[in-house]
Amino acid sequence: MTTYRPAEEVREGFEIFDDRFRAMLPDNARLVKHFTGTEWAEGPVYVPDGDYLLWSDIPNDRMMRWSEADGATVFRQPCGYTNGHTLDLQGRLVSCEHGGRRISRTEADGTVVTLVDSYQGKRLNSPNDIVVKSDGSIWFTDPPYGILSDREGHKAESEIGANYVFRLEPDSGDLEIVGDDFDRPNGLCFSPDESLMYISDTGEPGHIRVFDVADGRRLTNSRVFAVVRPGKPDGFRCDVNGNIFTSAWDGIQVYSPQGELLGKILVPEQRTANCCFGGPDKHRLYIAADHSMYSIVLNAQGGQTP
Ligand code: MG
């Protein structure tokens, strides 16, 4: 197993830098481990219709499912080395596939269809993370992690030759570049009112930038929101108040809408990759971290739609 941090730094607990984070922690706040046994947990998505969580175990080319009733089971294997997932406005699963180098959608009958796999005739690199806007458009990042080696997909050359952020209209298939100045774009999410878009860069910068969303479909006015350490900010979500809950190597770090670090939920794994809000009222933050999947109930409510 690769060691990214010394053992004494891998621990559980909270670091509270601001009363706004303290207020998010119930009196009995406790990180719960639901499953351990993945090689590299990523891409959690909560499915309200059925009250369960899906997430990716990328190197094992499988998707996992967890519910209070059923515990953890394998949902799909092989799965095209999926990474990030979300739901569309109809509640269908929409997935980034490193192996298939595509965005796929799982239909109500379980069949998996391709929404997009190329841009101007060139194959995508390896879609990483994904979000659906309230107008139905699908926004995703396309860094090269799935084609750098055979561990997270299939080693290959980039055909596009760049790492873009894309916006897809699923009905027309119209795909356009909305971000072209990233080293390795990764996580992304809208603010609750969709006036802002946050996108992380897990390449050289290791930060999250925030953009204004112009005309509902263009990104303008780029500025650095937060530089996240240790590690890099991989995946993140916002709550209804616009606070950002981002992964870092040490766990989940919580930032105010102004970019102030309010506190940390330390996760006892080498690297935490991603998180999502779930549960009937979206008060439970599910956390995908290396070998395990955790959750914690917070006095915070997920702001993502659906
Ligand atoms: Mg990611």
Side-chain angles (χ1 to χ4, degrees):
M1 188 182 82
T2 308
T3 300
Y4 296 90
R5 298 191 290 146
E8 62 270 20
E9 290 182 14
V10 178
R11 58 194 178 90
E12 189 173 333
F14 305 101
E15 291 185 2
I16 301 171
F17 307 129
D18 190 290
D19 284 342
R20 285 171 285 180
F21 179 62
R22 191 185 306 277
M24 294 179 191
L25 299 174
D27 290 341
N28 59 350
R30 188 172 69 91
L31 188 68
V32 179
K33 183 190 283 188
H34 296 293
F35 176 77
T36 192
T38 50
E39 187 176 335
W40 173 228
E42 246 288 9
V45 59
Y46 175 74
V47 183
D49 184 15
D51 187 22
Y52 61 90
L53 187 84
L54 298 174
W55 75 103
S56 300
D57 180 6
I58 303 176
N60 287 316
D61 194 13
R62 63 178 180 171
M63 291 173 63
M64 303 297 297
R65 178 189 190 276
W66 181 89
S67 70
E68 195 76 55
D70 304 328
T73 53
V74 175
F75 177 78
R76 181 183 298 165
Q77 185 179 30
C79 65
Y81 291 89
T82 59
N83 190 334
H85 306 274
T86 193
L87 302 179
D88 70 7
L89 303 184
Q90 289 76 45
R92 295 171 295 194
L93 182 69
V94 185
S95 304
C96 295
E97 296 186 17
H98 282 185
R101 297 173 68 171
R102 65 174 180 166
I103 303 299
S104 67
R105 184 175 68 205
T106 301
E107 308 291 21
D109 65 2
T111 57
V112 180
V113 300
T114 299
L115 294 185
V116 67
D117 60 5
S118 63
Y119 176 72
Q120 295 184 342
K122 296 173 180 171
R123 294 185 76 188
L124 300 175
N125 294 326
S126 51
N128 189 293
D129 217 339
I130 187 165
V131 65
V132 170
K133 195 166 175 287
S134 62
D135 63 4
S137 60
I138 296 172
W139 302 55
F140 65 95
T141 56
D142 189 39
Y145 294 110
I147 57 173
L148 295 177
S149 73
D150 289 324
R151 180 170 183 262
E152 296 183 32
H154 309 294
K155 184 172 169 48
E157 292 296 315
S158 172
E159 295 186 15
I160 290 179
N163 303 312
Y164 294 127
V165 183
F166 288 105
R167 175 186 181 277
L168 172 71
E169 290 188 355
D171 292 338
S172 66
D174 189 32
L175 182 70
E176 61 184 4
I177 295 168
V178 290
D180 64 0
D181 64 345
F182 289 80
D183 185 10
R184 291 180 175 180
N186 204 312
L188 72 176
C189 88
F190 288 103
S191 60
D193 66 0
E194 299 182 340
S195 66
L196 303 172
M197 164 66 95
Y198 299 86
I199 306 175
S200 69
D201 192 326
T202 48
E204 193 60 37
H207 62 206
I208 298 172
R209 279 191 282 161
V210 60
F211 301 82
D212 295 332
V213 181
D215 311 323
R217 59 185 300 163
R218 289 185 300 110
L219 301 181
T220 63
N221 194 19
S222 165
R223 59 268 190 204
V224 174
F225 172 74
V227 177
V228 177
R229 297 290 185 276
K232 306 281 176 66
D234 191 330
F236 50 91
R237 295 291 193 279
C238 70
D239 71 4
V240 292
N241 296 316
N243 299 297
I244 295 289
F245 294 68
T246 180
S247 69
W249 281 1
D250 55 359
I252 298 297
Q253 301 186 2
V254 183
Y255 290 82
S256 75
Q258 290 73 38
E260 307 152 282
L261 178 59
L262 303 180
K264 298 181 178 182
I265 302 165
L266 301 176
V267 176
E269 305 270 340
Q270 282 285 325
R271 298 186 299 173
T272 295
N274 214 329
C275 63
C276 75
F277 284 94
D281 299 318
K282 293 189 179 178
H283 285 296
R284 183 179 291 277
L285 187 71
Y286 288 99
I287 301 168
D290 263 5
H291 304 295
S292 307
M293 191 275 288
Y294 301 81
S295 79
I296 182 170
V297 174
L298 299 171
N299 294 328
Q301 187 176 26
Q304 191 179 15
T305 52

Short mmCIF file of all heavy atoms in Angstrom, two decimals, residues 87-144:
data_model
loop_
_atom_site.label_atom_id
_atom_site.label_comp_id
_atom_site.label_asym_id
_atom_site.label_seq_id
_atom_site.Cartn_x
_atom_site.Cartn_y
_atom_site.Cartn_z
N LEU A 87 -27.05 12.07 -10.31
CA LEU A 87 -28.36 11.72 -10.84
C LEU A 87 -28.83 12.86 -11.73
O LEU A 87 -28.52 14.03 -11.48
CB LEU A 87 -29.37 11.53 -9.70
CG LEU A 87 -29.03 10.45 -8.67
CD1 LEU A 87 -30.13 10.40 -7.60
CD2 LEU A 87 -28.85 9.08 -9.31
N ASP A 88 -29.58 12.52 -12.79
CA ASP A 88 -30.15 13.57 -13.60
C ASP A 88 -31.51 13.97 -13.05
O ASP A 88 -31.93 13.51 -11.98
CB ASP A 88 -30.19 13.16 -15.09
CG ASP A 88 -31.21 12.06 -15.38
OD1 ASP A 88 -31.99 11.68 -14.47
OD2 ASP A 88 -31.23 11.58 -16.53
N LEU A 89 -32.20 14.84 -13.76
CA LEU A 89 -33.45 15.39 -13.22
C LEU A 89 -34.54 14.33 -13.11
O LEU A 89 -35.50 14.51 -12.36
CB LEU A 89 -33.94 16.55 -14.11
CG LEU A 89 -32.94 17.71 -14.29
CD1 LEU A 89 -33.56 18.82 -15.10
CD2 LEU A 89 -32.43 18.22 -12.94
N GLN A 90 -34.38 13.23 -13.85
CA GLN A 90 -35.34 12.13 -13.76
C GLN A 90 -34.89 11.08 -12.74
O GLN A 90 -35.53 10.01 -12.63
CB GLN A 90 -35.52 11.47 -15.13
CG GLN A 90 -36.28 12.31 -16.15
CD GLN A 90 -35.43 13.43 -16.74
OE1 GLN A 90 -34.29 13.23 -17.11
NE2 GLN A 90 -36.00 14.62 -16.80
N GLY A 91 -33.79 11.33 -12.07
CA GLY A 91 -33.31 10.39 -11.06
C GLY A 91 -32.49 9.25 -11.63
O GLY A 91 -32.16 8.30 -10.92
N ARG A 92 -32.12 9.35 -12.90
CA ARG A 92 -31.30 8.29 -13.50
C ARG A 92 -29.83 8.51 -13.17
O ARG A 92 -29.35 9.65 -13.13
CB ARG A 92 -31.48 8.29 -15.03
CG ARG A 92 -32.89 7.93 -15.47
CD ARG A 92 -33.09 8.13 -16.95
NE ARG A 92 -32.97 9.54 -17.32
CZ ARG A 92 -33.36 10.05 -18.49
NH1 ARG A 92 -33.86 9.24 -19.41
NH2 ARG A 92 -33.22 11.33 -18.76
N LEU A 93 -29.12 7.41 -13.02
CA LEU A 93 -27.71 7.47 -12.70
C LEU A 93 -26.91 7.90 -13.93
O LEU A 93 -27.04 7.31 -15.00
CB LEU A 93 -27.24 6.09 -12.22
CG LEU A 93 -25.79 5.95 -11.80
CD1 LEU A 93 -25.53 6.72 -10.50
CD2 LEU A 93 -25.43 4.47 -11.63
N VAL A 94 -26.08 8.91 -13.75
CA VAL A 94 -25.19 9.38 -14.82
C VAL A 94 -23.76 9.25 -14.30
O VAL A 94 -23.46 9.69 -13.19
CB VAL A 94 -25.51 10.84 -15.20
CG1 VAL A 94 -24.66 11.28 -16.38
CG2 VAL A 94 -26.98 11.01 -15.51
N SER A 95 -22.90 8.62 -15.10
CA SER A 95 -21.59 8.20 -14.59
C SER A 95 -20.45 8.60 -15.50
O SER A 95 -20.58 8.60 -16.73
CB SER A 95 -21.56 6.66 -14.44
OG SER A 95 -22.62 6.22 -13.62
N CYS A 96 -19.31 8.89 -14.88
CA CYS A 96 -18.05 9.08 -15.59
C CYS A 96 -17.34 7.74 -15.65
O CYS A 96 -17.16 7.09 -14.61
CB CYS A 96 -17.16 10.07 -14.85
SG CYS A 96 -17.78 11.75 -14.75
N GLU A 97 -16.92 7.33 -16.83
CA GLU A 97 -16.21 6.06 -16.99
C GLU A 97 -14.80 6.30 -17.51
O GLU A 97 -14.62 6.80 -18.62
CB GLU A 97 -16.96 5.13 -17.95
CG GLU A 97 -18.32 4.70 -17.47
CD GLU A 97 -18.94 3.66 -18.42
OE1 GLU A 97 -18.19 3.06 -19.22
OE2 GLU A 97 -20.17 3.46 -18.33
N HIS A 98 -13.81 5.90 -16.71
CA HIS A 98 -12.42 5.94 -17.18
C HIS A 98 -12.20 4.92 -18.28
O HIS A 98 -11.54 5.18 -19.27
CB HIS A 98 -11.47 5.60 -16.03
CG HIS A 98 -11.24 6.70 -15.07
ND1 HIS A 98 -10.34 6.61 -14.04
CD2 HIS A 98 -11.80 7.94 -14.95
CE1 HIS A 98 -10.33 7.74 -13.34
NE2 HIS A 98 -11.22 8.54 -13.87
N GLY A 99 -12.74 3.71 -18.08
CA GLY A 99 -12.50 2.62 -19.03
C GLY A 99 -13.18 2.87 -20.36
O GLY A 99 -12.57 2.72 -21.43
N GLY A 100 -14.45 3.23 -20.28
CA GLY A 100 -15.20 3.51 -21.50
C GLY A 100 -14.89 4.88 -22.07
O GLY A 100 -15.33 5.19 -23.18
N ARG A 101 -14.18 5.70 -21.30
CA ARG A 101 -13.84 7.07 -21.72
C ARG A 101 -15.10 7.79 -22.19
O ARG A 101 -15.14 8.40 -23.25
CB ARG A 101 -12.74 7.05 -22.80
CG ARG A 101 -11.45 6.45 -22.26
CD ARG A 101 -10.39 6.25 -23.31
NE ARG A 101 -9.86 7.52 -23.82
CZ ARG A 101 -8.80 7.60 -24.64
NH1 ARG A 101 -8.18 6.51 -25.02
NH2 ARG A 101 -8.38 8.77 -25.07
N ARG A 102 -16.12 7.68 -21.35
CA ARG A 102 -17.42 8.23 -21.77
C ARG A 102 -18.23 8.65 -20.55
O ARG A 102 -17.91 8.31 -19.41
CB ARG A 102 -18.21 7.16 -22.52
CG ARG A 102 -18.58 5.96 -21.65
CD ARG A 102 -19.50 4.97 -22.38
NE ARG A 102 -19.84 3.83 -21.52
CZ ARG A 102 -20.82 2.97 -21.79
NH1 ARG A 102 -21.54 3.09 -22.88
NH2 ARG A 102 -21.06 1.97 -20.96
N ILE A 103 -19.31 9.37 -20.86
CA ILE A 103 -20.38 9.62 -19.89
C ILE A 103 -21.50 8.64 -20.23
O ILE A 103 -21.96 8.60 -21.37
CB ILE A 103 -20.90 11.06 -19.97
CG1 ILE A 103 -19.77 12.07 -19.76
CG2 ILE A 103 -22.03 11.27 -18.96
CD1 ILE A 103 -19.09 11.99 -18.41
N SER A 104 -21.89 7.85 -19.26
CA SER A 104 -22.96 6.89 -19.49
C SER A 104 -24.15 7.19 -18.59
O SER A 104 -24.03 7.91 -17.59
CB SER A 104 -22.47 5.46 -19.25
OG SER A 104 -22.16 5.26 -17.88
N ARG A 105 -25.29 6.65 -19.00
CA ARG A 105 -26.49 6.81 -18.20
C ARG A 105 -27.14 5.43 -18.03
O ARG A 105 -27.22 4.66 -18.99
CB ARG A 105 -27.47 7.76 -18.89
CG ARG A 105 -28.74 8.05 -18.04
CD ARG A 105 -29.61 9.08 -18.71
NE ARG A 105 -30.21 8.58 -19.94
CZ ARG A 105 -30.61 9.34 -20.96
NH1 ARG A 105 -30.49 10.64 -20.90
NH2 ARG A 105 -31.13 8.79 -22.05
N THR A 106 -27.56 5.15 -16.82
CA THR A 106 -28.24 3.89 -16.54
C THR A 106 -29.75 4.13 -16.62
O THR A 106 -30.29 4.93 -15.85
CB THR A 106 -27.85 3.35 -15.15
OG1 THR A 106 -26.43 3.17 -15.09
CG2 THR A 106 -28.54 2.03 -14.87
N GLU A 107 -30.39 3.46 -17.57
CA GLU A 107 -31.82 3.65 -17.78
C GLU A 107 -32.63 2.91 -16.73
O GLU A 107 -32.10 2.08 -15.97
CB GLU A 107 -32.21 3.18 -19.18
CG GLU A 107 -31.37 3.75 -20.30
CD GLU A 107 -31.60 5.25 -20.53
OE1 GLU A 107 -32.10 5.96 -19.62
OE2 GLU A 107 -31.27 5.73 -21.62
N ALA A 108 -33.92 3.19 -16.71
CA ALA A 108 -34.79 2.59 -15.69
C ALA A 108 -34.75 1.07 -15.74
O ALA A 108 -34.90 0.40 -14.72
CB ALA A 108 -36.21 3.10 -15.87
N ASP A 109 -34.54 0.49 -16.94
CA ASP A 109 -34.52 -0.97 -17.05
C ASP A 109 -33.14 -1.55 -16.80
O ASP A 109 -32.93 -2.75 -16.98
CB ASP A 109 -35.04 -1.41 -18.43
CG ASP A 109 -34.13 -0.95 -19.56
OD1 ASP A 109 -33.08 -0.33 -19.29
OD2 ASP A 109 -34.47 -1.21 -20.74
N GLY A 110 -32.18 -0.69 -16.44
CA GLY A 110 -30.85 -1.18 -16.10
C GLY A 110 -29.85 -1.15 -17.24
O GLY A 110 -28.65 -1.34 -17.01
N THR A 111 -30.30 -0.90 -18.46
CA THR A 111 -29.34 -0.82 -19.56
C THR A 111 -28.50 0.45 -19.43
O THR A 111 -28.96 1.47 -18.91
CB THR A 111 -30.04 -0.81 -20.94
OG1 THR A 111 -30.96 0.28 -20.96
CG2 THR A 111 -30.78 -2.12 -21.17
N VAL A 112 -27.25 0.35 -19.89
CA VAL A 112 -26.32 1.47 -19.78
C VAL A 112 -26.07 2.01 -21.18
O VAL A 112 -25.65 1.26 -22.07
CB VAL A 112 -25.00 1.00 -19.13
CG1 VAL A 112 -24.02 2.18 -19.01
CG2 VAL A 112 -25.27 0.41 -17.74
N VAL A 113 -26.35 3.29 -21.38
CA VAL A 113 -26.20 3.88 -22.71
C VAL A 113 -25.14 4.99 -22.66
O VAL A 113 -24.88 5.59 -21.61
CB VAL A 113 -27.54 4.48 -23.22
CG1 VAL A 113 -28.60 3.39 -23.30
CG2 VAL A 113 -28.01 5.62 -22.32
N THR A 114 -24.51 5.22 -23.81
CA THR A 114 -23.50 6.28 -23.93
C THR A 114 -24.18 7.61 -24.19
O THR A 114 -24.99 7.73 -25.12
CB THR A 114 -22.54 5.97 -25.09
OG1 THR A 114 -21.86 4.74 -24.83
CG2 THR A 114 -21.50 7.09 -25.25
N LEU A 115 -23.86 8.62 -23.39
CA LEU A 115 -24.34 9.97 -23.66
C LEU A 115 -23.33 10.72 -24.52
O LEU A 115 -23.70 11.47 -25.42
CB LEU A 115 -24.60 10.73 -22.36
CG LEU A 115 -25.72 10.19 -21.48
CD1 LEU A 115 -25.95 11.12 -20.30
CD2 LEU A 115 -27.02 10.01 -22.27
N VAL A 116 -22.06 10.56 -24.21
CA VAL A 116 -21.02 11.18 -25.04
C VAL A 116 -19.70 10.47 -24.77
O VAL A 116 -19.43 10.04 -23.64
CB VAL A 116 -20.91 12.70 -24.73
CG1 VAL A 116 -20.39 12.95 -23.33
CG2 VAL A 116 -20.02 13.40 -25.75
N ASP A 117 -18.88 10.30 -25.82
CA ASP A 117 -17.56 9.70 -25.64
C ASP A 117 -16.49 10.38 -26.48
O ASP A 117 -15.34 9.93 -26.52
CB ASP A 117 -17.58 8.19 -25.93
CG ASP A 117 -18.01 7.86 -27.35
OD1 ASP A 117 -18.21 8.80 -28.16
OD2 ASP A 117 -18.16 6.66 -27.65
N SER A 118 -16.85 11.45 -27.17
CA SER A 118 -15.85 12.13 -28.00
C SER A 118 -16.21 13.59 -28.17
O SER A 118 -17.37 14.00 -27.97
CB SER A 118 -15.75 11.46 -29.37
OG SER A 118 -16.98 11.59 -30.06
N TYR A 119 -15.20 14.36 -28.53
CA TYR A 119 -15.38 15.77 -28.84
C TYR A 119 -14.76 16.02 -30.21
O TYR A 119 -13.56 15.77 -30.40
CB TYR A 119 -14.71 16.65 -27.78
CG TYR A 119 -14.77 18.12 -28.10
CD1 TYR A 119 -15.97 18.83 -27.99
CD2 TYR A 119 -13.63 18.82 -28.51
CE1 TYR A 119 -16.03 20.18 -28.29
CE2 TYR A 119 -13.69 20.17 -28.81
CZ TYR A 119 -14.90 20.85 -28.70
OH TYR A 119 -14.96 22.19 -29.00
N GLN A 120 -15.54 16.44 -31.16
CA GLN A 120 -15.08 16.69 -32.53
C GLN A 120 -14.30 15.49 -33.08
O GLN A 120 -13.22 15.63 -33.66
CB GLN A 120 -14.24 17.97 -32.59
CG GLN A 120 -15.07 19.20 -32.25
CD GLN A 120 -14.31 20.52 -32.38
OE1 GLN A 120 -13.08 20.52 -32.41
NE2 GLN A 120 -15.03 21.62 -32.44
N GLY A 121 -14.82 14.30 -32.82
CA GLY A 121 -14.23 13.09 -33.37
C GLY A 121 -13.08 12.50 -32.59
O GLY A 121 -12.57 11.44 -32.93
N LYS A 122 -12.67 13.19 -31.51
CA LYS A 122 -11.56 12.69 -30.69
C LYS A 122 -12.10 12.16 -29.37
O LYS A 122 -12.94 12.81 -28.73
CB LYS A 122 -10.55 13.81 -30.44
CG LYS A 122 -9.88 14.30 -31.72
CD LYS A 122 -9.02 15.52 -31.46
CE LYS A 122 -8.36 15.98 -32.76
NZ LYS A 122 -7.68 17.27 -32.61
N ARG A 123 -11.60 11.01 -28.96
CA ARG A 123 -12.09 10.40 -27.72
C ARG A 123 -11.81 11.28 -26.51
O ARG A 123 -10.75 11.92 -26.42
CB ARG A 123 -11.44 9.03 -27.50
CG ARG A 123 -11.81 7.98 -28.53
CD ARG A 123 -11.21 6.64 -28.15
NE ARG A 123 -11.95 6.01 -27.05
CZ ARG A 123 -11.55 4.91 -26.42
NH1 ARG A 123 -10.38 4.35 -26.73
NH2 ARG A 123 -12.28 4.38 -25.46
N LEU A 124 -12.73 11.28 -25.59
CA LEU A 124 -12.48 11.93 -24.31
C LEU A 124 -11.30 11.25 -23.62
O LEU A 124 -10.96 10.11 -23.94
CB LEU A 124 -13.72 11.85 -23.42
CG LEU A 124 -15.00 12.50 -23.98
CD1 LEU A 124 -16.17 12.23 -23.03
CD2 LEU A 124 -14.80 14.00 -24.18
N ASN A 125 -10.67 11.96 -22.65
CA ASN A 125 -9.56 11.36 -21.90
C ASN A 125 -10.09 10.28 -20.96
O ASN A 125 -9.95 9.09 -21.20
CB ASN A 125 -8.81 12.42 -21.09
CG ASN A 125 -8.11 13.43 -21.98
OD1 ASN A 125 -7.63 13.10 -23.05
ND2 ASN A 125 -8.06 14.67 -21.52
N SER A 126 -10.67 10.73 -19.86
CA SER A 126 -11.24 9.82 -18.85
C SER A 126 -12.07 10.68 -17.90
O SER A 126 -11.57 11.18 -16.90
CB SER A 126 -10.14 9.08 -18.08
OG SER A 126 -9.16 9.97 -17.58
N PRO A 127 -13.34 10.88 -18.25
CA PRO A 127 -14.21 11.73 -17.43
C PRO A 127 -14.13 11.37 -15.95
O PRO A 127 -14.15 10.18 -15.60
CB PRO A 127 -15.60 11.48 -18.02
CG PRO A 127 -15.32 11.17 -19.46
CD PRO A 127 -14.04 10.37 -19.43
N ASN A 128 -14.07 12.40 -15.12
CA ASN A 128 -13.73 12.19 -13.71
C ASN A 128 -14.87 12.49 -12.77
O ASN A 128 -15.23 11.67 -11.93
CB ASN A 128 -12.52 13.07 -13.37
CG ASN A 128 -11.92 12.80 -12.02
OD1 ASN A 128 -12.56 13.04 -11.00
ND2 ASN A 128 -10.71 12.26 -11.99
N ASP A 129 -15.46 13.68 -12.90
CA ASP A 129 -16.54 14.05 -11.98
C ASP A 129 -17.59 14.83 -12.74
O ASP A 129 -17.30 15.39 -13.80
CB ASP A 129 -16.00 14.83 -10.79
CG ASP A 129 -16.72 14.46 -9.49
OD1 ASP A 129 -17.85 13.93 -9.57
OD2 ASP A 129 -16.16 14.69 -8.41
N ILE A 130 -18.80 14.89 -12.16
CA ILE A 130 -19.95 15.24 -12.98
C ILE A 130 -21.04 15.86 -12.12
O ILE A 130 -21.23 15.48 -10.96
CB ILE A 130 -20.45 13.96 -13.70
CG1 ILE A 130 -21.54 14.24 -14.71
CG2 ILE A 130 -20.90 12.91 -12.70
CD1 ILE A 130 -21.76 13.07 -15.67
N VAL A 131 -21.76 16.81 -12.72
CA VAL A 131 -22.88 17.42 -12.02
C VAL A 131 -23.95 17.76 -13.06
O VAL A 131 -23.62 18.05 -14.21
CB VAL A 131 -22.41 18.66 -11.23
CG1 VAL A 131 -21.92 19.76 -12.17
CG2 VAL A 131 -23.48 19.18 -10.31
N VAL A 132 -25.20 17.71 -12.63
CA VAL A 132 -26.31 18.06 -13.52
C VAL A 132 -26.93 19.36 -13.03
O VAL A 132 -27.21 19.52 -11.84
CB VAL A 132 -27.37 16.94 -13.55
CG1 VAL A 132 -28.64 17.41 -14.27
CG2 VAL A 132 -26.81 15.70 -14.25
N LYS A 133 -27.12 20.29 -13.95
CA LYS A 133 -27.72 21.57 -13.64
C LYS A 133 -29.25 21.45 -13.73
O LYS A 133 -29.77 20.52 -14.33
CB LYS A 133 -27.20 22.63 -14.63
CG LYS A 133 -27.44 24.07 -14.25
CD LYS A 133 -26.58 24.98 -15.14
CE LYS A 133 -26.88 26.44 -14.87
NZ LYS A 133 -28.19 26.84 -15.42
N SER A 134 -29.95 22.43 -13.16
CA SER A 134 -31.41 22.34 -13.11
C SER A 134 -32.06 22.45 -14.49
O SER A 134 -33.24 22.15 -14.64
CB SER A 134 -31.97 23.43 -12.19
OG SER A 134 -31.64 24.71 -12.69
N ASP A 135 -31.30 22.87 -15.50
CA ASP A 135 -31.83 22.88 -16.87
C ASP A 135 -31.58 21.55 -17.59
O ASP A 135 -31.89 21.43 -18.78
CB ASP A 135 -31.22 24.04 -17.68
CG ASP A 135 -29.72 23.92 -17.85
OD1 ASP A 135 -29.12 22.91 -17.42
OD2 ASP A 135 -29.11 24.86 -18.42
N GLY A 136 -31.00 20.57 -16.87
CA GLY A 136 -30.76 19.25 -17.45
C GLY A 136 -29.39 19.10 -18.08
O GLY A 136 -29.00 17.98 -18.44
N SER A 137 -28.66 20.19 -18.24
CA SER A 137 -27.32 20.08 -18.84
C SER A 137 -26.38 19.36 -17.88
O SER A 137 -26.53 19.41 -16.67
CB SER A 137 -26.77 21.46 -19.21
OG SER A 137 -26.67 22.28 -18.06
N ILE A 138 -25.41 18.65 -18.48
CA ILE A 138 -24.47 17.82 -17.73
C ILE A 138 -23.08 18.44 -17.85
O ILE A 138 -22.59 18.64 -18.98
CB ILE A 138 -24.47 16.38 -18.26
CG1 ILE A 138 -25.86 15.74 -18.04
CG2 ILE A 138 -23.38 15.55 -17.60
CD1 ILE A 138 -26.02 14.39 -18.72
N TRP A 139 -22.47 18.74 -16.73
CA TRP A 139 -21.15 19.38 -16.70
C TRP A 139 -20.15 18.37 -16.12
O TRP A 139 -20.42 17.76 -15.08
CB TRP A 139 -21.18 20.65 -15.84
CG TRP A 139 -22.18 21.70 -16.30
CD1 TRP A 139 -23.52 21.53 -16.49
CD2 TRP A 139 -21.91 23.07 -16.59
NE1 TRP A 139 -24.10 22.71 -16.89
CE2 TRP A 139 -23.14 23.67 -16.96
CE3 TRP A 139 -20.76 23.86 -16.58
CZ2 TRP A 139 -23.24 25.02 -17.31
CZ3 TRP A 139 -20.85 25.21 -16.93
CH2 TRP A 139 -22.08 25.78 -17.29
N PHE A 140 -19.02 18.19 -16.81
CA PHE A 140 -18.06 17.20 -16.32
C PHE A 140 -16.63 17.61 -16.66
O PHE A 140 -16.38 18.39 -17.57
CB PHE A 140 -18.37 15.80 -16.87
CG PHE A 140 -18.23 15.65 -18.36
CD1 PHE A 140 -17.05 15.17 -18.92
CD2 PHE A 140 -19.27 15.97 -19.22
CE1 PHE A 140 -16.91 15.01 -20.29
CE2 PHE A 140 -19.14 15.82 -20.59
CZ PHE A 140 -17.95 15.33 -21.13
N THR A 141 -15.71 17.03 -15.90
CA THR A 141 -14.28 17.28 -16.08
C THR A 141 -13.65 16.08 -16.80
O THR A 141 -14.13 14.96 -16.69
CB THR A 141 -13.58 17.51 -14.74
OG1 THR A 141 -13.82 16.38 -13.89
CG2 THR A 141 -14.09 18.77 -14.06
N ASP A 142 -12.53 16.34 -17.49
CA ASP A 142 -11.94 15.29 -18.32
C ASP A 142 -10.41 15.27 -18.21
O ASP A 142 -9.71 15.43 -19.22
CB ASP A 142 -12.38 15.50 -19.79
CG ASP A 142 -12.01 14.33 -20.68
OD1 ASP A 142 -12.11 13.17 -20.24
OD2 ASP A 142 -11.61 14.58 -21.84
N PRO A 143 -9.89 15.03 -17.01
CA PRO A 143 -8.43 14.93 -16.85
C PRO A 143 -7.95 13.57 -17.37
O PRO A 143 -8.77 12.73 -17.77
CB PRO A 143 -8.26 15.05 -15.33
CG PRO A 143 -9.49 14.43 -14.78
CD PRO A 143 -10.59 14.83 -15.73
N PRO A 144 -6.64 13.31 -17.33
CA PRO A 144 -6.12 12.08 -17.96
C PRO A 144 -5.92 10.89 -17.02
O PRO A 144 -5.33 9.90 -17.43
CB PRO A 144 -4.76 12.55 -18.49
CG PRO A 144 -4.31 13.53 -17.45
CD PRO A 144 -5.55 14.22 -16.97
#
